Amino acid sequence: MTKNVGGIDRILRAVVGLVLIALAATGTVGWWGYLGFIPLATAAMGWCPPYALFGWNTCSTRKPG
């Protein structure tokens, strides 16, 4: 798996995931808040299946030269 999730994207995914999980754990939102594990996992791995499917990439690449 080639990383396709960049720095800011990873940070946003981690924050959204943690917020959703915290809201679910405190009972503020329903069970669906535990879906926050998905963006948290993609942030940790640096790879997102839908990004790979559509050919998107938010990683910065360095050009030699």
Side-chain angles (χ1 to χ4, degrees):
M1 292 183 299
T2 303
K3 292 187 185 272
N4 61 5
V5 179
I8 293 175
D9 195 0
R10 287 178 87 170
I11 292 168
L12 290 174
R13 287 169 185 261
V15 168
V16 167
L18 289 171
V19 167
L20 282 173
I21 293 166
L23 290 173
T26 59
T28 305
V29 298
W31 63 269
W32 62 267
Y34 288 110
L35 291 175
F37 280 109
I38 295 171
L40 192 59
T42 59
M45 292 185 305
W47 184 75
C48 178
Y51 275 22
L53 181 68
F54 294 114
W56 299 339
N57 187 342
T58 59
C59 284
S60 61
T61 56
R62 295 184 183 192
K63 294 183 180 180

